[in-house]
Each structure stands twice: as C-alpha cells, then as structure tokens.
Amino acid sequence: MTPAKRDAPPGRPSKLTLFFVALAALSAAALWWQQGVDATLAAVRDAMVLLAMIAPVIAAALLIGGYVQAVLPREAVSRWLGSDSGAGGYLLAMIAGCFTPAGPFAAFPLVLALRRGGAPFDVCVVYLSAWSTLGVQRIVIWELPFLGHEFVALRVLASLPVPLLAGLLARYLLAHRI
Amino acid sequence: MKNLVIPVSFVVVMLVALAAYAHFRKPDAHRAALVEAGRQLRALALRIPFALIAAECIGRLLPTENVSALLGADAGFSGVLFASAVGAFLPGGPMVAFPLAIALFRAGATNAPLVALMTAWSMMAVNRMLMFEVPLLGARFAFGRVVVSAPMPIIAGLLAAQISAWLIIS
C-alpha cells in the first residue's frame, strides 16, 4: 500500500485549504460588492444548509473507503485482471474499476502492477476509464449529495459504454500501430 | 434541495456490509479503516465548508445569459463540445468540480453539457495525470490513454441528450 500522503504538517492548514479559504473570501466579497449584504448572507446560509446535509454522507463514505482499502486483496485483483484480455477481461476490468476507491493512491499502483504483470494497454484503459467515470465511491461521496440522483442516474447511464468504447479504441490503435 | 434518501441508504447498507465482512474475516481492518477515514476527514473538514461558500457565491455571480447560451438547452452539440473542453482542462479534484457543477446548474446549464463536463474532468484530470499517471506509468501510456479518452466526453454528452429526449417523450 502506498504510504499516506500528508499535504501539511498537523495543525497547519495546507495550501489547498488556504486556496479554498481565499476563493470563498474573494467570491463572497465580489457578491457583496455586486449584489449587497443580503445576497451574500443568503449564499453563506445556503452553503451551510448544504454542508449540514452532505456532511454525514461524506463521513460515512470516507469510512467505506477506509474499509475497502483495508479489506481489498490488491495482489489477487491484479492477478485476475491480467489473466484475460478478451471480453471477459474487459468486463472484469470494468467491475474492478467501479469498485476501486476514489483517490489516485489506490488505482495507479494497481495499474502499475497490472502493466508489470503483462496486462495489455487496452485492459488498463478499460480499468482506468471505469474507475474515473463510474467509480462507486466518488459517485456516492460527491456526486449524489451535490447533484442529486436524477442527474447521477442520467450520467451513469450515458457513461456505461464509455470504458468499453475507450478499450476498443485503444485495441484498434494498438493493432494498427498508430 | 437534493433528495438524500438514496445516498444515505446506500452508504448505510455498504458500510454495514463492509464492517460485518471485516468483523468476521479481517478484524484488524476496523482500525485501519478508522485511521484512513480520519486522515481524509481532517484534510476535508476545513476545505468543504469554504468550497461550498465559494460555489454558492460564484453561482450567484455567473452571468445567467452567458451560461445558458454556452451550456444551456439551446447550445446543442456545440454546448457538449465546449463543456468537454472546459472539463478536460479543469484543474483540481472533486472539491473544485462538484461545486462548479452546482454553480453552472444554478446559472442555467443543462444535463447533457454537464455530463460531458464531468466525464471530461474525471477522465482527463490534469493534476492527477501529471502527479500520478506520468511518473508511474510513463508519458507514452498517459498520452495513449488521453488520445483514446478524448472522444468519450462528447459521446457521453450526446448519449445523455438522447436519453433525456427519450425520457421526456415517453
């Protein structure tokens, strides 16, 4: 497992946190200047309401991510994935991609292991495309609470063929040595 | 406001199932899961409130006419194309992308361009590519993956438009 990456020493906010603080301050100031204090307060209040709604989901989903990382047998998964490069391999890669935790710490080391184990480029493309467009953890933590289930259902439906299409395109490019 | 029944029940079921599996098969996973979740929560706890405030304010600042012209119902194919390009070059993680999507929704963007934008952002993710993919898998791999991924946001956006149209007709 990749060691945990710290982006700041404990007790000190990271650069990314400071970026969001600055972005919030700047946009609130601009809104105040353009539309007045009432609009700004309404925006902050709406943000806090949204926060109160999504905070429990995010906390629970982070715990899910922790369990998946702790329970997932990574070596076994990369052995399964590398063993079949036909249609079954595509399907397996797609399912594995959907259930890999959202952060890049889990997915890319797995692809590296796959490549070293001889998995073809197109299978890796299927896996990474499924992970990025259909990853269950990201959908649950971020997309459902922020964008609602109707949008998510539409996006998932529209993205279902994407990993397979990307894989087939990769296979075509490989076969024609482009 | 979004309906949270589905996310909450999904999260609860998954958490119970994983905790039960871990309890019987791998008891030390409890501690590891808690430590990992706590580490991520510490990083997010400060960022999310400020990201949400920024998104709410930016959503009210965006000129509604421009957003609906570029990403609205009448933008059609060019809206999907434009959204794919924006998504492909959008830096940062979900903390940037999802609040931006809310802001665009509020300002009049429709489903199909937003599907294209989210697909492009999630597949390309410039930062992730430079920080993880190129160092770990090499520039050739990353370039090849970007080439085969490039048409995908457009395909997803057009499919989303088609699915929306079917659902409205039926």
Side-chain angles (χ1 to χ4, degrees), chain A:
Chain A
M1 192 180 294
T2 322
K5 185 192 164 201
R6 287 201 183 283
D7 38 20
R12 236 179 63 203
S14 70
K15 276 193 190 128
L16 197 58
T17 306
L18 292 176
F19 166 78
F20 283 109
V21 173
L23 191 67
L26 269 177
S27 53
L31 190 63
W32 192 317
W33 180 66
Q34 203 194 62
Q35 293 172 22
V37 63
D38 286 345
T40 315
L41 287 178
V44 172
R45 196 191 53 228
D46 284 358
M48 291 305 114
V49 170
L50 191 58
L51 178 68
M53 290 174 72
I54 64 172
V57 180
I58 293 186
L62 289 177
L63 208 49
I64 291 176
Y67 271 116
V68 171
Q69 274 197 29
V71 168
L72 195 76
R74 208 158 302 182
E75 286 77 31
V77 170
S78 75
R79 242 180 291 119
W80 290 336
L81 286 177
S83 59
D84 181 0
S85 64
Y90 274 32
L91 209 62
L92 215 56
M94 195 161 152
I95 292 167
C98 292
F99 290 100
T100 304
F105 304 109
F108 285 103
L110 192 82
V111 176
L112 186 65
L114 276 176
R115 288 294 276 172
R116 292 207 172 129
F121 176 63
D122 53 337
V123 172
C124 297
V125 164
V126 173
Y127 170 79
L128 280 173
S129 304
W131 169 70
S132 57
T133 60
L134 299 170
V136 171
Q137 197 198 356
R138 182 191 278 163
I139 291 174
V140 170
I141 301 189
W142 295 102
E143 202 173 7
L144 277 173
F146 274 91
L147 301 174
H149 62 271
E150 277 169 39
F151 178 80
V152 172
L154 177 68
R155 197 195 59 74
V156 166
L157 219 56
S159 301
L160 273 182
V162 159
L164 301 178
L165 285 177
L168 289 174
L169 187 57
R171 169 173 283 198
Y172 178 85
L173 291 186
L174 275 183
H176 291 75
R177 299 230 151 262
I178 301 173

Side-chain angles (χ1 to χ4, degrees), chain B residues 11-164:
Chain B
V11 163
V12 168
V13 168
M14 234 177 124
L15 191 55
V16 169
L18 275 167
Y21 176 85
H23 192 76
F24 292 112
R25 302 293 294 272
K26 213 176 166 189
D28 50 333
H30 287 308
R31 204 190 144 70
L34 268 175
V35 168
E36 173 66 19
R39 191 181 64 76
Q40 288 198 30
L41 192 65
R42 264 200 303 283
L44 294 176
L46 264 175
R47 273 173 223 166
I48 292 179
F50 287 105
L52 290 175
I53 291 175
E56 288 287 346
C57 293
I58 292 170
R60 284 154 207 256
L61 284 166
L62 282 176
T64 313
E65 321 82 79
N66 296 0
V67 172
S68 2
L70 287 170
L71 301 171
D74 300 330
F77 181 68
S78 64
V80 167
L81 215 57
F82 177 68
S84 302
V86 171
F89 292 101
L90 190 66
M95 223 94 56
V96 177
F98 288 102
L100 177 79
I102 296 186
L104 289 172
F105 247 134
R106 294 245 161 101
T110 44
N111 282 337
L114 279 179
V115 165
L117 192 145
M118 299 313 285
T119 308
W121 163 74
S122 61
M123 291 188 89
M124 300 301 180
V126 191
N127 306 36
R128 188 186 74 199
M129 195 166 75
L130 294 178
M131 282 171 63
F132 290 93
E133 192 171 7
V134 172
L136 275 178
L137 299 164
R140 220 180 118 76
F141 180 96
F143 179 72
R145 199 189 58 79
V146 166
V147 168
V148 300
S149 301
M152 298 307 147
I154 301 165
I155 293 174
L158 294 178
L159 263 177
Q162 198 57 56
I163 294 168
S164 299

